[in-house]
Amino acid sequence: MALLSALVGDTDTGIDRDDPAGITVDDVMMSYDELLAHASGLVGHIQGARAVAVCADAHMDTLLGVVAGLLAGVPVVPIAHDAGPSERGHILRDSAAEMVLGAHDWDEVDLPTIDVHGPPASSVQANGAPGRLIMYTSGTTGAPKGVVLPDTALAACLDGLADAWQWAPDDHLVHGLPLFHVHGLVLGMLGGLRRGCRITHTGRPHPDRYAAAAARGGSLFFGVPTVWGRIVAEPTIARSLSGARAIVSGSAALPVSTFAALTDLTGVTPLERYGMTETLITLSTRIDGERRPGHVGWPLAGVETRLRSDDGTEAAHDSTTIGTLEVRGATVGDGYLNRDDATAAATTADGWFITGDSATIGPDGTHRIVGRTSVDIIKTGGYKVGAGEVEAAVAEVPGVEEVAVVGIPDADLGERIVAFVVGDGVDEAGVIGHVAASLSVHKRPREVRRVDTLPRNALGKVQKAQLRDS
Ligand code: MCA
Ligand code: AMP
Protein backbone atom coordinates (compact mmCIF):
# COMPACT_ATOMS: atom_id res chain seq x y z
CA MET A 1 0.00 0.00 0.00
CA ALA A 2 2.00 2.88 -1.34
CA LEU A 3 0.20 5.66 0.52
CA LEU A 4 1.37 4.60 3.99
CA SER A 5 4.81 3.77 2.67
CA ALA A 6 6.76 4.12 5.92
CA LEU A 7 4.15 2.21 7.93
CA VAL A 8 4.10 -0.77 5.61
CA GLY A 9 7.87 -0.67 5.19
CA ASP A 10 7.88 0.17 1.45
CA THR A 11 10.48 2.80 2.21
CA ASP A 12 13.21 2.41 4.78
CA THR A 13 13.04 5.66 6.67
CA GLY A 14 15.26 4.51 9.49
CA ILE A 15 12.44 4.64 12.04
CA ASP A 16 12.49 2.34 15.03
CA ARG A 17 9.48 0.17 14.17
CA ASP A 18 9.36 -1.16 17.74
CA ASP A 19 9.42 2.24 19.44
CA PRO A 20 6.45 1.82 21.84
CA ALA A 21 5.75 5.57 21.58
CA GLY A 22 5.92 5.64 17.77
CA ILE A 23 2.26 6.67 17.64
CA THR A 24 0.33 8.16 20.57
CA VAL A 25 -3.33 9.08 20.44
CA ASP A 26 -4.76 10.62 23.59
CA ASP A 27 -2.20 8.76 25.74
CA VAL A 28 -2.71 5.35 24.07
CA MET A 29 0.56 4.24 22.48
CA MET A 30 1.50 1.81 19.72
CA SER A 31 4.63 1.09 17.77
CA TYR A 32 4.53 1.20 13.98
CA ASP A 33 4.69 -2.59 13.87
CA GLU A 34 1.86 -3.00 16.39
CA LEU A 35 -0.38 -0.64 14.42
CA LEU A 36 0.39 -2.46 11.19
CA ALA A 37 -0.24 -5.92 12.70
CA HIS A 38 -3.53 -4.93 14.35
CA ALA A 39 -4.82 -3.11 11.28
CA SER A 40 -3.78 -6.07 9.11
CA GLY A 41 -5.78 -8.33 11.42
CA LEU A 42 -8.93 -6.42 10.40
CA VAL A 43 -8.43 -6.63 6.66
CA GLY A 44 -10.06 -10.04 6.25
CA HIS A 45 -13.20 -8.81 8.04
CA ILE A 46 -13.81 -5.89 5.72
CA GLN A 47 -12.37 -6.86 2.37
CA GLY A 48 -14.92 -6.49 -0.41
CA ALA A 49 -17.19 -4.10 1.50
CA ARG A 50 -18.54 -1.19 -0.56
CA ALA A 51 -17.41 1.21 2.18
CA VAL A 52 -16.69 1.17 5.91
CA ALA A 53 -17.53 3.91 8.40
CA VAL A 54 -15.33 4.86 11.33
CA CYS A 55 -16.59 6.70 14.39
CA ALA A 56 -13.74 9.16 14.27
CA ASP A 57 -13.20 10.32 17.80
CA ALA A 58 -9.70 11.16 19.00
CA HIS A 59 -8.74 7.58 19.77
CA MET A 60 -6.25 4.97 18.53
CA ASP A 61 -9.24 2.87 17.38
CA THR A 62 -10.02 5.50 14.75
CA LEU A 63 -6.53 5.17 13.32
CA LEU A 64 -6.76 1.37 13.39
CA GLY A 65 -10.03 1.47 11.43
CA VAL A 66 -8.79 3.99 8.87
CA VAL A 67 -5.51 2.15 8.28
CA ALA A 68 -7.34 -1.19 7.98
CA GLY A 69 -9.69 0.25 5.36
CA LEU A 70 -6.81 1.72 3.40
CA LEU A 71 -4.90 -1.59 3.53
CA ALA A 72 -8.01 -3.47 2.38
CA GLY A 73 -8.67 -1.06 -0.48
CA VAL A 74 -12.14 -0.36 0.93
CA PRO A 75 -13.38 3.28 0.92
CA VAL A 76 -13.19 4.66 4.46
CA VAL A 77 -15.78 7.14 5.72
CA PRO A 78 -14.71 8.95 8.91
CA ILE A 79 -17.75 10.37 10.74
CA ALA A 80 -17.69 12.85 13.62
CA HIS A 81 -18.30 10.90 16.81
CA ASP A 82 -20.83 13.53 17.90
CA ALA A 83 -22.64 13.82 14.57
CA GLY A 84 -26.31 13.68 15.42
CA PRO A 85 -28.65 11.01 14.05
CA SER A 86 -29.77 13.02 11.02
CA GLU A 87 -26.24 13.92 9.94
CA ARG A 88 -24.75 10.45 10.38
CA GLY A 89 -27.85 8.81 8.88
CA HIS A 90 -27.31 10.86 5.74
CA ILE A 91 -23.58 10.04 5.62
CA LEU A 92 -24.09 6.32 6.17
CA ARG A 93 -26.79 6.08 3.49
CA ASP A 94 -24.99 8.28 0.99
CA SER A 95 -21.66 6.45 1.33
CA ALA A 96 -23.31 2.98 1.36
CA ALA A 97 -21.13 2.02 4.31
CA GLU A 98 -21.75 -1.64 5.13
CA MET A 99 -20.19 -1.73 8.59
CA VAL A 100 -18.75 0.44 11.32
CA LEU A 101 -15.20 -0.17 12.48
CA GLY A 102 -14.74 0.32 16.21
CA ALA A 103 -17.02 1.07 19.12
CA HIS A 104 -19.67 3.79 18.94
CA ASP A 105 -22.78 4.84 20.79
CA TRP A 106 -24.92 5.43 17.70
CA ASP A 107 -27.96 3.60 19.02
CA GLU A 108 -30.10 3.91 15.88
CA VAL A 109 -27.38 2.53 13.57
CA ASP A 110 -28.02 -1.14 12.81
CA LEU A 111 -24.95 -1.89 10.68
CA PRO A 112 -22.57 -4.60 11.89
CA THR A 113 -19.88 -3.24 14.19
CA ILE A 114 -16.38 -4.69 13.85
CA ASP A 115 -14.30 -4.90 17.00
CA VAL A 116 -10.92 -3.40 16.22
CA HIS A 117 -9.23 -5.14 19.15
CA GLY A 118 -9.07 -8.58 17.56
CA PRO A 119 -5.87 -10.60 17.23
CA PRO A 120 -3.04 -9.01 15.25
CA ALA A 121 -2.06 -10.55 11.92
CA SER A 122 1.31 -12.26 11.67
CA SER A 123 2.05 -10.66 8.31
CA VAL A 124 1.05 -7.51 6.48
CA GLN A 125 -2.33 -7.85 4.84
CA ALA A 126 -2.99 -5.55 1.93
CA ASN A 127 -4.91 -6.50 -1.14
CA GLY A 128 -3.20 -4.03 -3.44
CA ALA A 129 -6.43 -2.23 -4.36
CA PRO A 130 -6.08 1.54 -4.13
CA GLY A 131 -7.26 2.98 -0.85
CA ARG A 132 -9.52 6.00 -0.63
CA LEU A 133 -11.20 8.24 1.88
CA ILE A 134 -14.68 9.72 1.61
CA MET A 135 -14.69 12.89 3.69
CA TYR A 136 -17.92 14.84 4.20
CA THR A 137 -17.91 18.61 3.95
CA SER A 138 -20.64 21.24 4.20
CA GLY A 139 -21.91 23.31 1.30
CA THR A 140 -24.03 26.45 1.31
CA THR A 141 -27.27 24.47 1.43
CA GLY A 142 -28.36 20.92 2.07
CA ALA A 143 -26.64 18.05 3.80
CA PRO A 144 -22.84 17.59 3.66
CA LYS A 145 -21.35 16.14 0.48
CA GLY A 146 -18.88 13.26 0.40
CA VAL A 147 -15.56 14.10 -1.27
CA VAL A 148 -13.79 11.14 -2.84
CA LEU A 149 -10.06 11.28 -2.08
CA PRO A 150 -8.01 8.59 -3.84
CA ASP A 151 -4.66 7.47 -2.49
CA THR A 152 -2.85 9.19 -5.36
CA ALA A 153 -4.19 12.62 -4.35
CA LEU A 154 -3.49 11.94 -0.67
CA ALA A 155 0.09 10.91 -1.47
CA ALA A 156 0.67 13.94 -3.74
CA CYS A 157 -0.54 16.28 -1.00
CA LEU A 158 1.62 14.70 1.70
CA ASP A 159 4.70 14.65 -0.51
CA GLY A 160 4.16 18.26 -1.54
CA LEU A 161 3.99 19.26 2.11
CA ALA A 162 7.04 17.19 3.00
CA ASP A 163 8.94 19.05 0.31
CA ALA A 164 7.70 22.49 1.47
CA TRP A 165 8.36 21.86 5.16
CA GLN A 166 11.33 19.47 4.92
CA TRP A 167 9.16 17.05 6.90
CA ALA A 168 11.42 14.11 7.74
CA PRO A 169 11.40 10.83 9.68
CA ASP A 170 13.26 12.44 12.57
CA ASP A 171 10.38 14.87 13.15
CA HIS A 172 8.00 14.37 16.05
CA LEU A 173 4.58 15.51 14.84
CA VAL A 174 2.18 16.95 17.43
CA HIS A 175 -1.45 18.05 17.10
CA GLY A 176 -4.85 17.49 18.71
CA LEU A 177 -7.16 18.06 15.76
CA PRO A 178 -10.37 16.16 14.96
CA LEU A 179 -9.87 12.93 13.01
CA PHE A 180 -12.96 13.37 10.79
CA HIS A 181 -11.38 16.14 8.70
CA VAL A 182 -8.44 16.37 6.33
CA HIS A 183 -6.30 18.50 8.63
CA GLY A 184 -6.25 16.11 11.59
CA LEU A 185 -6.58 12.80 9.78
CA VAL A 186 -4.74 13.20 6.49
CA LEU A 187 -1.98 15.64 7.45
CA GLY A 188 -1.88 14.81 11.15
CA MET A 189 -1.98 11.00 11.03
CA LEU A 190 -1.52 9.65 7.48
CA GLY A 191 1.20 12.24 6.85
CA GLY A 192 3.20 10.93 9.78
CA LEU A 193 2.68 7.32 8.70
CA ARG A 194 3.84 8.12 5.17
CA ARG A 195 6.98 9.93 6.38
CA GLY A 196 7.66 7.53 9.22
CA CYS A 197 7.95 10.08 12.00
CA ARG A 198 6.83 9.89 15.61
CA ILE A 199 3.22 11.10 15.99
CA THR A 200 1.55 12.47 19.12
CA HIS A 201 -2.15 13.26 18.95
CA THR A 202 -2.97 15.16 22.13
CA GLY A 203 -6.64 14.13 22.31
CA ARG A 204 -7.89 17.70 22.27
CA PRO A 205 -5.95 20.71 20.95
CA HIS A 206 -5.62 22.32 24.38
CA PRO A 207 -2.62 24.61 24.90
CA ASP A 208 -1.36 22.71 27.96
CA ARG A 209 -1.35 19.44 25.98
CA TYR A 210 0.75 21.03 23.22
CA ALA A 211 3.16 22.23 25.93
CA ALA A 212 3.37 18.73 27.40
CA ALA A 213 4.13 17.26 23.97
CA ALA A 214 6.77 19.95 23.39
CA ALA A 215 8.45 18.82 26.60
CA ARG A 216 8.57 15.28 25.16
CA GLY A 217 10.43 16.45 22.06
CA GLY A 218 7.69 17.58 19.67
CA SER A 219 9.27 19.24 16.64
CA LEU A 220 6.45 19.82 14.14
CA PHE A 221 3.17 21.31 15.44
CA PHE A 222 -0.13 21.61 13.56
CA GLY A 223 -3.07 23.78 14.59
CA VAL A 224 -5.96 25.88 13.39
CA PRO A 225 -5.84 29.64 14.10
CA THR A 226 -8.14 29.29 17.12
CA VAL A 227 -5.63 26.90 18.69
CA TRP A 228 -2.73 29.27 18.02
CA GLY A 229 -4.76 32.21 19.35
CA ARG A 230 -5.40 30.31 22.58
CA ILE A 231 -1.73 29.34 22.85
CA VAL A 232 -0.41 32.89 22.48
CA ALA A 233 -2.93 33.99 25.11
CA GLU A 234 -0.84 31.89 27.54
CA PRO A 235 2.71 33.20 26.95
CA THR A 236 4.40 30.62 29.20
CA ILE A 237 2.84 27.84 27.18
CA ALA A 238 3.69 29.53 23.89
CA ARG A 239 7.32 29.92 24.97
CA SER A 240 7.49 26.21 25.72
CA LEU A 241 7.18 25.60 21.96
CA SER A 242 10.41 27.48 21.26
CA GLY A 243 12.30 24.26 20.49
CA ALA A 244 9.96 23.46 17.60
CA ARG A 245 11.39 23.08 14.12
CA ALA A 246 8.11 24.16 12.53
CA ILE A 247 4.74 25.51 13.60
CA VAL A 248 2.04 25.19 10.94
CA SER A 249 -1.33 26.92 10.77
CA GLY A 250 -4.20 26.19 8.41
CA SER A 251 -7.92 25.57 7.86
CA ALA A 252 -8.73 29.28 8.29
CA ALA A 253 -6.99 32.64 8.11
CA LEU A 254 -4.33 33.15 10.78
CA PRO A 255 -4.77 36.70 12.12
CA VAL A 256 -1.67 38.82 11.59
CA SER A 257 -1.61 39.58 15.34
CA THR A 258 -1.51 35.86 16.18
CA PHE A 259 1.24 35.29 13.60
CA ALA A 260 3.29 38.08 15.21
CA ALA A 261 2.70 36.92 18.80
CA LEU A 262 3.55 33.33 17.91
CA THR A 263 6.78 34.44 16.23
CA ASP A 264 7.74 36.66 19.17
CA LEU A 265 6.97 34.12 21.89
CA THR A 266 8.37 30.99 20.24
CA GLY A 267 11.08 32.41 18.00
CA VAL A 268 9.56 30.23 15.24
CA THR A 269 7.90 31.95 12.28
CA PRO A 270 4.70 30.04 11.47
CA LEU A 271 4.21 28.26 8.18
CA GLU A 272 0.77 28.87 6.66
CA ARG A 273 -0.87 26.57 4.21
CA TYR A 274 -4.22 26.59 2.45
CA GLY A 275 -6.50 23.88 1.16
CA MET A 276 -9.95 22.39 1.05
CA THR A 277 -11.41 18.98 1.63
CA GLU A 278 -12.11 18.81 -2.13
CA THR A 279 -8.57 19.67 -3.22
CA LEU A 280 -6.49 18.72 -0.20
CA ILE A 281 -3.69 21.20 0.55
CA THR A 282 -2.73 23.17 -2.54
CA LEU A 283 -0.69 26.13 -1.26
CA SER A 284 1.93 26.58 1.42
CA THR A 285 4.77 28.78 2.51
CA ARG A 286 8.11 27.00 2.60
CA ILE A 287 10.52 26.41 5.42
CA ASP A 288 13.34 27.63 3.18
CA GLY A 289 11.34 30.63 1.92
CA GLU A 290 9.74 33.85 3.05
CA ARG A 291 6.88 33.54 5.55
CA ARG A 292 4.86 36.73 5.36
CA PRO A 293 1.84 37.17 7.67
CA GLY A 294 -1.46 36.75 5.83
CA HIS A 295 0.16 34.86 2.96
CA VAL A 296 -0.33 31.19 2.23
CA GLY A 297 2.55 30.81 -0.17
CA TRP A 298 2.98 28.94 -3.39
CA PRO A 299 1.39 25.91 -5.09
CA LEU A 300 2.66 22.52 -3.95
CA ALA A 301 4.48 20.38 -6.50
CA GLY A 302 2.00 19.19 -9.14
CA VAL A 303 -0.57 21.94 -8.41
CA GLU A 304 -1.47 24.95 -10.53
CA THR A 305 -3.63 27.97 -9.63
CA ARG A 306 -5.30 30.83 -11.45
CA LEU A 307 -7.53 33.76 -10.51
CA ARG A 308 -10.87 34.40 -12.20
CA SER A 309 -12.35 37.92 -12.24
CA ASP A 310 -16.11 38.43 -12.12
CA ASP A 311 -16.12 39.08 -15.87
CA GLY A 312 -14.57 35.66 -16.51
CA THR A 313 -11.13 36.95 -17.50
CA GLU A 314 -7.96 35.97 -15.67
CA ALA A 315 -7.10 38.47 -12.91
CA ALA A 316 -3.69 40.11 -12.78
CA HIS A 317 -1.00 38.72 -10.48
CA ASP A 318 -0.25 42.10 -8.94
CA SER A 319 -0.93 41.40 -5.22
CA THR A 320 -4.02 43.63 -5.24
CA THR A 321 -6.47 42.38 -7.86
CA ILE A 322 -8.93 40.01 -6.19
CA GLY A 323 -10.35 37.04 -8.04
CA THR A 324 -11.88 33.65 -7.34
CA LEU A 325 -9.15 31.08 -6.87
CA GLU A 326 -9.22 28.05 -9.16
CA VAL A 327 -6.90 25.07 -8.79
CA ARG A 328 -6.01 21.90 -10.64
CA GLY A 329 -3.46 19.17 -10.29
CA ALA A 330 -2.29 16.15 -8.40
CA THR A 331 -3.91 16.85 -5.02
CA VAL A 332 -7.44 17.49 -6.29
CA GLY A 333 -9.94 14.77 -5.34
CA ASP A 334 -12.35 12.87 -7.55
CA GLY A 335 -15.39 15.09 -6.92
CA TYR A 336 -18.48 14.58 -4.81
CA LEU A 337 -19.90 11.11 -4.28
CA ASN A 338 -23.32 10.64 -5.94
CA ARG A 339 -23.40 14.34 -6.79
CA ASP A 340 -22.32 14.77 -10.39
CA ASP A 341 -24.38 17.97 -10.45
CA ALA A 342 -22.38 19.51 -7.60
CA THR A 343 -19.07 18.27 -9.05
CA ALA A 344 -19.93 19.87 -12.39
CA ALA A 345 -20.97 23.12 -10.72
CA ALA A 346 -17.59 23.32 -8.97
CA THR A 347 -15.57 22.59 -12.11
CA THR A 348 -14.81 24.91 -15.03
CA ALA A 349 -15.32 23.78 -18.61
CA ASP A 350 -11.55 23.33 -18.91
CA GLY A 351 -11.25 21.21 -15.77
CA TRP A 352 -10.22 23.56 -12.93
CA PHE A 353 -11.79 23.29 -9.46
CA ILE A 354 -13.53 26.51 -8.38
CA THR A 355 -12.61 26.98 -4.71
CA GLY A 356 -15.11 29.73 -3.89
CA ASP A 357 -12.33 31.58 -2.06
CA SER A 358 -11.32 35.09 -3.04
CA ALA A 359 -7.58 35.58 -3.33
CA THR A 360 -4.78 37.69 -4.70
CA ILE A 361 -1.57 36.44 -6.30
CA GLY A 362 1.61 38.50 -6.23
CA PRO A 363 4.16 38.91 -9.02
CA ASP A 364 6.36 36.43 -7.11
CA GLY A 365 3.51 33.89 -7.17
CA THR A 366 2.61 34.11 -3.48
CA HIS A 367 -1.08 33.83 -2.59
CA ARG A 368 -3.24 35.67 -0.08
CA ILE A 369 -6.76 34.44 0.79
CA VAL A 370 -8.97 37.47 1.36
CA GLY A 371 -12.41 35.94 1.92
CA ARG A 372 -15.10 33.71 0.50
CA THR A 373 -17.49 34.43 -2.30
CA SER A 374 -20.50 33.05 -0.36
CA VAL A 375 -21.85 34.42 2.93
CA ASP A 376 -23.45 31.01 3.46
CA ILE A 377 -20.17 29.27 4.23
CA ILE A 378 -19.03 29.92 7.79
CA LYS A 379 -15.56 29.08 9.15
CA THR A 380 -15.73 28.69 12.91
CA GLY A 381 -12.76 27.38 14.85
CA GLY A 382 -11.47 26.03 11.51
CA TYR A 383 -14.65 24.04 10.87
CA LYS A 384 -16.58 24.77 7.69
CA VAL A 385 -20.30 24.98 8.36
CA GLY A 386 -22.99 25.62 5.77
CA ALA A 387 -25.58 28.17 6.89
CA GLY A 388 -28.35 26.25 5.11
CA GLU A 389 -27.77 23.07 7.10
CA VAL A 390 -27.96 24.94 10.40
CA GLU A 391 -31.02 26.90 9.27
CA ALA A 392 -32.83 23.65 8.45
CA ALA A 393 -32.06 22.31 11.94
CA VAL A 394 -33.10 25.55 13.70
CA ALA A 395 -36.36 25.60 11.71
CA GLU A 396 -37.32 22.30 13.36
CA VAL A 397 -37.47 23.95 16.79
CA PRO A 398 -41.07 24.61 17.89
CA GLY A 399 -42.00 28.30 17.65
CA VAL A 400 -39.38 29.20 15.02
CA GLU A 401 -41.16 30.91 12.12
CA GLU A 402 -38.14 32.10 10.17
CA VAL A 403 -34.40 31.83 10.62
CA ALA A 404 -31.22 33.15 9.01
CA VAL A 405 -27.80 31.89 10.09
CA VAL A 406 -24.77 34.13 9.73
CA GLY A 407 -21.05 34.03 10.63
CA ILE A 408 -20.14 37.01 12.80
CA PRO A 409 -16.44 37.95 13.26
CA ASP A 410 -15.13 36.47 16.50
CA ALA A 411 -11.71 37.02 18.08
CA ASP A 412 -11.40 33.39 19.23
CA LEU A 413 -13.22 31.35 16.57
CA GLY A 414 -12.63 33.56 13.51
CA GLU A 415 -16.39 33.52 12.98
CA ARG A 416 -19.09 32.48 15.40
CA ILE A 417 -22.41 31.08 14.26
CA VAL A 418 -25.34 33.36 15.09
CA ALA A 419 -28.98 32.42 14.37
CA PHE A 420 -31.40 35.30 13.78
CA VAL A 421 -34.82 33.91 14.63
CA VAL A 422 -38.37 35.18 14.11
CA GLY A 423 -40.88 33.58 16.48
CA ASP A 424 -42.43 34.17 19.86
CA GLY A 425 -41.09 32.47 22.96
CA VAL A 426 -38.15 30.74 21.24
CA ASP A 427 -35.67 29.66 23.86
CA GLU A 428 -31.96 30.26 23.04
CA ALA A 429 -30.65 27.21 24.89
CA GLY A 430 -33.29 25.05 23.20
CA VAL A 431 -32.19 26.15 19.73
CA ILE A 432 -28.50 25.64 20.50
CA GLY A 433 -29.12 22.26 22.10
CA HIS A 434 -31.26 21.05 19.19
CA VAL A 435 -28.60 21.88 16.58
CA ALA A 436 -25.81 20.39 18.74
CA ALA A 437 -27.80 17.17 19.08
CA SER A 438 -29.13 16.74 15.54
CA LEU A 439 -26.01 17.87 13.65
CA SER A 440 -22.56 18.07 15.30
CA VAL A 441 -21.74 20.04 18.43
CA HIS A 442 -19.45 22.41 16.52
CA LYS A 443 -22.33 23.37 14.18
CA ARG A 444 -24.39 24.82 17.03
CA PRO A 445 -25.10 28.56 17.06
CA ARG A 446 -23.12 30.23 19.80
CA GLU A 447 -25.83 32.89 20.00
CA VAL A 448 -29.51 33.24 19.08
CA ARG A 449 -30.89 36.72 18.40
CA ARG A 450 -34.65 37.18 18.26
CA VAL A 451 -35.78 39.67 15.59
CA ASP A 452 -39.23 40.82 14.50
CA THR A 453 -38.47 40.38 10.80
CA LEU A 454 -35.54 39.37 8.62
CA PRO A 455 -34.25 42.10 6.29
CA ARG A 456 -35.08 41.16 2.70
CA ASN A 457 -34.45 42.74 -0.69
CA ALA A 458 -37.13 43.40 -3.32
CA LEU A 459 -36.89 39.77 -4.48
CA GLY A 460 -37.46 38.49 -0.94
CA LYS A 461 -33.86 37.32 -0.42
CA VAL A 462 -32.56 37.68 3.15
CA GLN A 463 -29.88 40.37 3.38
CA LYS A 464 -27.29 38.49 5.41
CA ALA A 465 -24.65 41.22 5.14
CA GLN A 466 -27.08 43.53 6.93
CA LEU A 467 -27.59 40.97 9.69
CA ARG A 468 -23.85 40.45 10.03
CA ASP A 469 -23.29 44.17 10.49
CA SER A 470 -26.28 44.70 12.82
C1 MCA B 1 -20.62 22.84 24.37
N1 MCA B 1 -20.40 21.55 24.37
C2 MCA B 1 -21.56 20.95 24.10
C3 MCA B 1 -22.53 21.95 23.92
N2 MCA B 1 -21.92 23.11 24.10
N3 MCA B 1 -21.89 19.68 23.98
C4 MCA B 1 -23.17 19.36 23.68
N4 MCA B 1 -24.14 20.26 23.50
C5 MCA B 1 -23.89 21.58 23.61
N5 MCA B 1 -24.86 22.46 23.43
C6 MCA B 1 -19.09 20.91 24.65
C7 MCA B 1 -18.38 20.26 23.49
O1 MCA B 1 -18.79 18.92 23.31
C8 MCA B 1 -16.93 20.30 23.94
O2 MCA B 1 -16.66 19.30 24.90
C9 MCA B 1 -16.87 21.61 24.67
O3 MCA B 1 -18.21 21.95 25.02
C10 MCA B 1 -16.27 22.70 23.81
O4 MCA B 1 -17.00 22.77 22.60
P1 MCA B 1 -16.31 22.96 21.18
O5 MCA B 1 -17.26 23.75 20.37
O6 MCA B 1 -15.81 21.71 20.57
O7 MCA B 1 -14.99 23.66 21.57
P2 MCA B 1 -14.32 24.91 21.17
O8 MCA B 1 -13.43 25.22 22.30
O9 MCA B 1 -15.21 26.00 20.71
O10 MCA B 1 -13.48 24.40 19.93
C11 MCA B 1 -12.40 25.09 19.41
C12 MCA B 1 -11.49 24.13 18.67
C13 MCA B 1 -12.32 23.39 17.63
C14 MCA B 1 -10.89 23.14 19.66
C15 MCA B 1 -10.39 24.92 18.02
O11 MCA B 1 -13.03 24.35 16.88
C16 MCA B 1 -11.52 22.50 16.73
O12 MCA B 1 -11.09 21.41 17.09
N6 MCA B 1 -11.29 22.95 15.46
C17 MCA B 1 -10.56 22.20 14.47
C18 MCA B 1 -11.30 22.20 13.17
C19 MCA B 1 -10.56 21.48 12.08
O13 MCA B 1 -9.69 20.63 12.29
N7 MCA B 1 -10.90 21.79 10.83
C20 MCA B 1 -10.29 21.22 9.70
C21 MCA B 1 -11.26 21.26 8.55
P3 MCA B 1 -15.26 18.51 24.97
O14 MCA B 1 -14.20 19.55 25.14
O15 MCA B 1 -15.41 17.60 26.10
O16 MCA B 1 -15.14 17.81 23.64
S1 MCA B 1 -10.57 22.13 7.23
C22 MCA B 1 -9.62 21.04 6.40
O17 MCA B 1 -9.45 19.90 6.77
C23 MCA B 1 -8.88 21.71 5.26
C24 MCA B 1 -8.41 20.74 4.25
C25 MCA B 1 -7.70 22.50 5.82
O18 MCA B 1 -7.32 23.50 5.20
O19 MCA B 1 -7.19 22.10 6.86
P1 AMP C 1 -12.93 22.62 4.43
O1 AMP C 1 -13.97 22.46 3.43
O2 AMP C 1 -13.38 22.38 5.80
O3 AMP C 1 -11.85 21.79 3.97
O4 AMP C 1 -12.47 24.12 4.42
C1 AMP C 1 -11.82 24.70 3.32
C2 AMP C 1 -11.82 26.19 3.45
O5 AMP C 1 -11.03 26.61 4.57
C3 AMP C 1 -11.23 26.92 2.29
O6 AMP C 1 -12.13 27.01 1.20
C4 AMP C 1 -10.88 28.26 2.90
O7 AMP C 1 -12.02 29.09 2.93
C5 AMP C 1 -10.50 27.89 4.33
N1 AMP C 1 -9.04 27.85 4.54
C6 AMP C 1 -8.25 26.77 4.65
N2 AMP C 1 -6.97 27.14 4.91
C7 AMP C 1 -6.95 28.49 4.96
C8 AMP C 1 -5.94 29.48 5.19
N3 AMP C 1 -4.68 29.15 5.44
N4 AMP C 1 -6.30 30.78 5.15
C9 AMP C 1 -7.58 31.14 4.91
N5 AMP C 1 -8.58 30.25 4.69
C10 AMP C 1 -8.28 28.95 4.72
Side-chain angles (χ1 to χ4, degrees):
M1 231 290 291
L3 172 62
L4 306 179
S5 45
L7 176 70
V8 299
D10 275 1
T11 50
D12 180 14
T13 58
I15 49 161
D16 174 2
R17 306 192 59 88
D18 296 321
D19 172 8
I23 305 146
T24 305
V25 185
D26 201 17
D27 293 334
V28 175
M29 292 184 185
M30 272 196 173
S31 69
Y32 268 61
D33 271 349
E34 282 171 321
L35 175 67
L36 183 59
H38 281 277
S40 290
L42 291 167
V43 166
H45 298 281
I46 61 177
Q47 211 142 28
R50 279 183 67 187
V52 291
V54 176
C55 173
D57 54 2
H59 198 280
M60 187 67 84
D61 292 0
T62 299
L63 191 58
L64 277 169
V66 171
V67 171
L70 290 170
L71 291 175
V74 173
V76 182
V77 188
I79 303 181
H81 55 97
D82 66 352
S86 67
E87 187 170 330
R88 65 179 165 248
H90 159 72
I91 295 174
L92 289 168
R93 276 190 305 278
D94 187 60
S95 64
E98 291 182 21
M99 51 188 87
V100 183
L101 299 188
H104 59 85
D105 58 3
W106 300 340
D107 296 337
E108 83 291 354
V109 172
D110 58 6
L111 296 173
T113 299
I114 308 292
D115 177 10
V116 295
H117 297 283
S122 52
S123 62
V124 179
Q125 302 294 313
N127 81 350
R132 62 188 51 220
L133 297 177
I134 303 175
M135 308 281 285
Y136 279 78
T137 188
S138 297
T140 50
T141 55
K145 299 187 285 285
V147 179
V148 180
L149 296 167
D151 61 349
T152 46
L154 297 165
C157 165
L158 296 172
D159 290 349
L161 293 176
D163 170 54
W165 305 339
Q166 295 174 7
W167 185 353
D170 61 359
D171 267 314
H172 178 170
L173 169 61
V174 177
H175 71 99
L177 298 166
L179 297 183
F180 48 88
H181 278 307
V182 164
H183 196 165
L185 181 63
V186 176
L187 277 56
M189 305 308 300
L190 305 186
L193 298 178
R194 182 166 175 81
R195 290 274 77 69
C197 69
R198 215 181 226 206
I199 306 167
T200 295
H201 187 288
T202 60
R204 296 272 296 151
H206 291 158
D208 52 350
R209 300 197 192 181
Y210 277 41
R216 291 197 305 273
S219 68
L220 172 61
F221 290 80
F222 293 170
V224 296
T226 300
V227 170
W228 297 124
R230 292 179 185 182
I231 285 177
V232 299
E234 298 189 60
T236 309
I237 286 187
R239 282 190 203 97
S240 74
L241 268 56
S242 57
R245 188 183 68 76
I247 289 177
V248 187
S249 181
S251 300
L254 183 67
V256 169
S257 56
T258 309
F259 181 106
L262 207 45
T263 308
D264 283 352
L265 290 164
T266 64
V268 181
T269 312
L271 289 157
E272 287 184 70
R273 92 301 177 285
Y274 158 88
M276 293 182 75
T277 306
E278 291 88 334
T279 64
L280 298 170
I281 307 307
T282 48
L283 297 165
S284 182
T285 49
R286 299 182 59 88
I287 201 135
D288 58 0
E290 190 190 1
R291 286 169 253 172
R292 217 180 310 160
H295 289 71
V296 292
W298 295 267
L300 300 189
V303 174
E304 294 172 274
T305 60
R306 69 183 185 190
L307 277 188
R308 265 302 116 196
S309 303
D310 287 346
D311 64 6
T313 59
E314 194 153 346
H317 293 189
D318 58 7
S319 307
T320 51
T321 306
I322 296 173
T324 299
L325 184 68
E326 296 177 354
V327 302
R328 75 172 175 192
T331 66
V332 178
D334 284 350
Y336 300 110
L337 187 71
N338 305 325
R339 291 294 308 273
D340 289 349
D341 57 330
T343 305
T347 312
T348 65
D350 56 349
W352 293 67
F353 181 82
I354 306 164
T355 65
D357 288 307
S358 306
T360 65
I361 302 180
D364 62 352
T366 184
H367 293 62
R368 202 160 54 92
I369 306 297
V370 296
R372 281 201 63 87
T373 47
S374 171
V375 287
D376 285 323
I377 295 287
I378 301 167
K379 262 277 162 172
T380 181
Y383 286 115
K384 181 158 113 172
V385 180
E389 194 187 357
V390 181
E391 285 161 356
V394 173
E396 293 166 357
V397 177
V400 172
E401 290 163 26
E402 285 186 287
V403 55
V405 164
V406 173
I408 306 269
D410 184 276
D412 177 41
L413 297 169
E415 288 184 303
R416 72 175 180 282
I417 301 175
V418 177
F420 291 82
V421 169
V422 178
D424 285 332
V426 177
D427 157 53
E428 174 167 15
V431 170
I432 295 172
H434 178 75
V435 178
S438 62
L439 302 177
S440 291
V441 168
H442 67 264
K443 295 184 179 177
R444 71 193 187 278
R446 302 289 171 135
E447 199 187 319
V448 177
R449 294 190 197 167
R450 227 198 59 73
V451 288
D452 291 333
T453 52
L454 296 175
R456 292 182 186 276
N457 66 12
L459 298 171
K461 189 171 162 29
V462 176
Q463 300 298 282
K464 291 202 171 178
Q466 220 170 302
L467 288 172
R468 200 179 44 209
D469 300 338
S470 63

